[in-house]
Amino acid sequence: MHIDKSKVAIIFMVLGSLTVLFGIIVVFAGPLIIDDQIIKNTVIDPNNEIAYPMWKDIPVPFYMSVYFFNVLNPKEVLLGEKPMVEERGPYVYRKRCQKDNITFHPNFTVSYREYRQYYFEPSMSVGNESDVVTIPNMLVLGAAVMMEKLPFAVRMMMSATFKTFKEGPFLTKPVGELMWGYDSGLVDFLNKYLPGMLPTKGKFGLFSEFNNSNTGLFNIHTGKDDISKVHKVDSWNGLKKLTNWGTPQCNMMNGTAGQMWPPFMTPKTTLPFYSPDACRSMELVYQRPGVMQGIPLYRYVAPKTLFANGSDYAPNEGFCPCRQSGILNVSSCRHNSPVFISHPHFYNADPVLLDFVGGLSPNEDEHGLFIDIHPMTGVPLNVSIRLQLNLFMKRVSAITETGKIADVVMPMIWFEESGYIDGPILDTFHTNLVVLPAVMEYTQYIFISLGLLTIIVALLVHRRSKRSETANSMMFTSTTNLVSGKELVNEKHTQKN
C-alpha cells in the first residue's frame, strides 16, 4: 500500500502547530493555575488538607533554648563594680502549641486561643534543671527602681519588708525554680497588700506565666475574600490597637500572628507580626535568597532599627522612655517593672551597653534572629527567634539592698525559639507546593519544544517528499520520451522496408 508522505507530513505539521499552541496557552494559563492552587492551599479552611493542619497544630518539633547569665561577682556589684557574667546553657524545652476555641466568622475571620506547654529535654541540654545559677532578684531590684520616686519612709518600709522575707538583691537558685517558679513569702505579701503589682499570684518565676497558658484571643483573616490578608491580625483580646505605647503608629497591630504570612512574596515584601509577649508589632526585612532541601526560600532578619531608640529612629519615639539603642523598654506592659528586651548579648545594640557588663560577645550567627520562608506560599521553613531579657538596676536611697549598684542594664537570660519543617510534612509540602508547580512550568516548555520539533521534522519530510515526487515525475517524462522516440524509429524502419 502506497503511503502519501506529503499528506502525512502536513498532518504532523498541524499536530505540531496545535502542540505549540497548547504550550503557549499553558505559558499564560499555567501561572494562573499555579497561583489558584497556592491560594486554595493557603486559605485558612478546615477543608484545606495541607495548610490547615499546619496552622491548627504546629506539626513540627519546636524548641525553646534558654541561656542564663550567671553573675560571677554579686558582692562586688553591690560595691559599684562592673558585673561579670558567664553564659550557662542551653537548657532546652520542647514547646507544644495547640489552637483551641477555633471559631469562624461571617466576615472571613477566625478567632482562636493558642495554648503552649514546655517539656524539659535533658538530652539536648547542657546541664540539668537542678543546676544552680545566680541572677539579679527582680522582686527586689525591680521594685527598688519602681519605688524610686515614692516617699523616703515608704522606701524604708519596703527595704524592711525585703529583710523580713530574707530577699536579697541576687538569687542563687536551681534553673527549674528560676524558670517555672519558686515559693516566696514576699510574693504572697505583695499580692495581698499591693494587688496588681506582680504578674503572678502563685509561684514567682521568669517563665511561670508562659507554661500552660495561652497567648490571648486572636482574631485573624482567613484569606477567603482576599488572599493578601490571610493570617493578618484583625484584633487581639478584642482590641484593634494597643494602648500602652506613646504614639498611634507604635500602638498599631501590624501583620500576622507570627506563624504564617500571605503568599506571593518578593524581596521588597517585609514580615510584620504582632507579638503579645513583646507587647508590640515587629517587622523583619529581606536579607538574601536560599534553598532548603530543594525548596527555594527567602531569609528575613531583624533590621537594626527594630530596637533603636527614638533619637536614632524617630518612628520608635512612641516606645520611649528609651535608653541606648538596641534595647526596648517593655515596662509599660510589665507592671512598670524596669524590664528591657534586646537581641542576645546586646547584638546590634549601642556598644556602650557592652562596656557596662563583662563576659558578653555578640555575633550574628549565634545571636541574630531569622525566619526562612517559602516566598510563594508564605510558610516558614526554618525559624530562630532569639531575644534577651534585661533588668535595669541602680542604687535607690533608703533601699539598702541596692547597695552602691551602678546604673546598668543587666542581662538575665536569653532564649531562642526554633523549629523547622522536616519529615513527611516537608515531603507533602515539597510535592504539592514545589514539585507540581515546577512540573506545570516545565510542561509548557516541553509542549512548545515538542511541537516545534514535530513541525520541523514534518517540514523536512514534506520537502523531501515533494523533491522525490518531482524527481519521479521528471524520470517518468524522460522514460516516456525515450520510449516514444524508439517507437518512432521502429515505425520509420518498418515503412522503409
Side-chain angles (χ1 to χ4, degrees):
M1 188 178 76
H2 176 69
I3 298 174
D4 191 336
K5 292 183 179 179
S6 179
K7 289 183 178 179
V8 172
I10 291 171
I11 291 171
F12 272 95
M13 274 191 279
V14 172
L15 290 174
S17 299
L18 291 173
T19 304
V20 171
L21 180 62
F22 181 75
I24 292 171
I25 291 171
V26 173
V27 168
F28 291 100
L32 298 176
I33 295 170
I34 293 170
D35 289 355
D36 184 61
Q37 285 301 307
I38 289 173
I39 290 170
K40 285 180 180 178
N41 285 318
T42 51
V43 166
I44 302 175
D45 186 334
N47 296 320
N48 184 334
E49 296 179 358
I50 297 178
Y52 186 76
M54 291 177 66
W55 171 79
K56 183 177 180 292
D57 300 311
I58 298 176
V60 298
F62 218 75
Y63 297 97
M64 180 175 71
S65 303
V66 181
Y67 300 81
F68 281 81
F69 290 104
N70 182 48
V71 182
L72 299 174
N73 60 338
K75 292 181 180 178
E76 289 77 6
V77 172
L78 289 174
L79 296 174
E81 293 187 21
K82 178 179 178 176
M84 302 298 295
V85 299
E86 66 170 358
E87 185 179 279
R88 299 279 295 275
Y91 299 94
V92 182
Y93 298 84
R94 180 167 51 88
K95 181 182 180 182
R96 184 169 183 267
C97 296
Q98 186 174 15
K99 291 180 176 64
D100 204 356
N101 303 334
I102 298 173
T103 308
F104 287 87
H105 305 290
N107 65 341
F108 305 108
T109 63
V110 57
S111 59
Y112 65 90
R113 290 183 184 273
E114 183 168 271
Y115 291 84
R116 49 194 176 180
Q117 294 174 307
Y118 297 88
Y119 305 90
F120 186 61
E121 294 282 355
S123 63
M124 301 175 70
S125 304
V126 178
N128 208 294
E129 283 192 307
S130 59
D131 293 352
V132 175
V133 296
T134 299
I135 63 171
N137 188 344
M138 287 182 66
L139 289 175
V140 173
L141 299 178
V145 174
M146 292 166 66
M147 295 185 152
E148 183 182 14
K149 295 181 180 178
L150 293 180
F152 188 85
V154 174
R155 298 199 301 272
M156 284 188 66
M157 286 175 59
M158 198 66 218
S159 183
T161 303
F162 292 149
K163 292 178 178 60
T164 300
F165 291 102
K166 298 180 180 179
E167 292 280 357
F170 290 91
L171 285 173
T172 301
K173 287 187 175 293
V175 165
E177 291 187 19
L178 293 173
M179 284 287 296
W180 310 115
Y182 56 90
D183 292 315
S184 168
L186 178 60
V187 171
D188 297 335
F189 174 83
L190 293 175
N191 280 328
K192 183 176 181 180
Y193 294 102
L194 294 171
M197 179 179 175
L198 299 176
T200 179
K201 292 184 179 180
K203 293 183 177 182
F204 183 80
L206 297 173
F207 283 83
S208 58
E209 58 181 308
F210 285 71
N211 205 8
N212 299 310
S213 66
N214 68 79
T215 54
L217 182 64
F218 271 98
N219 191 51
I220 65 173
H221 292 274
T222 64
K224 274 194 172 183
D225 59 328
D226 182 355
I227 197 62
S228 68
K229 296 195 295 186
V230 67
H231 297 293
K232 289 188 176 180
V233 176
D234 177 62
S235 67
W236 176 75
N237 282 346
L239 300 172
K240 294 279 189 180
K241 60 181 181 180
L242 302 170
T243 57
N244 49 289
W245 303 114
T247 62
Q249 182 177 351
C250 292
N251 278 321
M252 290 174 68
M253 288 186 195
N254 297 322
T256 72
Q259 293 176 339
M260 295 183 186
W261 281 266
F264 312 124
M265 302 169 69
T266 72
K268 292 183 179 180
T269 307
T270 59
L271 287 193
F273 62 97
Y274 170 65
S275 168
D277 296 329
C279 310
R280 59 165 285 191
S281 295
M282 295 191 278
E283 189 170 48
L284 306 186
V285 295
Y286 173 85
Q287 184 191 51
R288 61 172 175 80
V291 177
M292 175 179 154
Q293 298 189 34
I295 302 175
L297 59 83
Y298 285 170
R299 170 157 290 192
Y300 282 82
V301 298
K304 287 188 176 181
T305 55
L306 183 63
F307 296 138
N309 62 23
S311 301
D312 290 344
Y313 186 62
N316 282 354
E317 186 64 40
F319 295 125
C320 293
C322 299
R323 298 188 66 80
Q324 295 89 349
S325 271
I327 54 176
L328 173 70
N329 186 344
V330 291
S331 60
S332 62
C333 67
R334 288 288 181 268
H335 302 271
N336 293 318
S337 181
V339 175
F340 291 78
I341 59 173
S342 67
H343 296 301
H345 287 246
F346 295 130
Y347 169 69
N348 261 354
D350 190 324
V352 75
L353 292 164
L354 293 172
D355 296 336
F356 292 127
V357 182
L360 304 179
S361 54
N363 66 80
E364 182 179 1
D365 288 342
E366 294 181 65
H367 306 130
L369 63 82
F370 67 85
I371 294 179
D372 290 339
I373 200 161
H374 182 231
M376 284 299 287
T377 60
V379 175
L381 304 174
N382 188 18
V383 176
S384 181
I385 302 296
R386 299 160 175 159
L387 293 172
Q388 180 171 296
L389 186 67
N390 310 281
L391 181 69
F392 176 57
M393 310 188 311
K394 66 180 297 187
R395 175 183 177 274
V396 178
S397 62
I399 300 181
T400 57
E401 285 73 16
T402 61
K404 297 179 181 178
I405 292 177
D407 292 14
V408 60
V409 178
M410 184 72 179
M412 298 177 65
I413 62 167
W414 74 268
F415 58 93
E416 172 187 26
E417 292 201 323
S418 59
Y420 61 92
I421 292 181
D422 201 3
I425 296 295
L426 181 67
D427 294 339
T428 302
F429 183 88
H430 188 264
T431 301
N432 287 277
L433 298 174
V434 178
V435 175
L436 292 181
V439 169
M440 178 77 74
E441 185 177 352
Y442 290 128
T443 298
Q444 65 196 29
Y445 300 118
I446 291 171
F447 273 107
I448 292 173
S449 302
L450 187 62
L452 289 174
L453 183 64
T454 302
I455 292 171
I456 292 169
V457 171
L459 279 171
L460 291 173
V461 170
H462 183 266
R463 195 171 180 182
R464 186 175 294 176
S465 176
K466 283 294 183 184
R467 282 181 179 174
S468 179
E469 287 178 9
T470 303
N472 289 337
S473 177
M474 290 175 66
M475 189 180 294
F476 176 77
T477 303
S478 299
T479 303
T480 303
N481 289 339
L482 183 61
V483 170
S484 298
K486 283 183 178 180
E487 288 177 350
L488 185 63
V489 169
N490 289 335
E491 188 178 334
K492 285 181 179 180
H493 180 71
T494 302
Q495 288 175 354
K496 196 172 182 180
N497 290 331

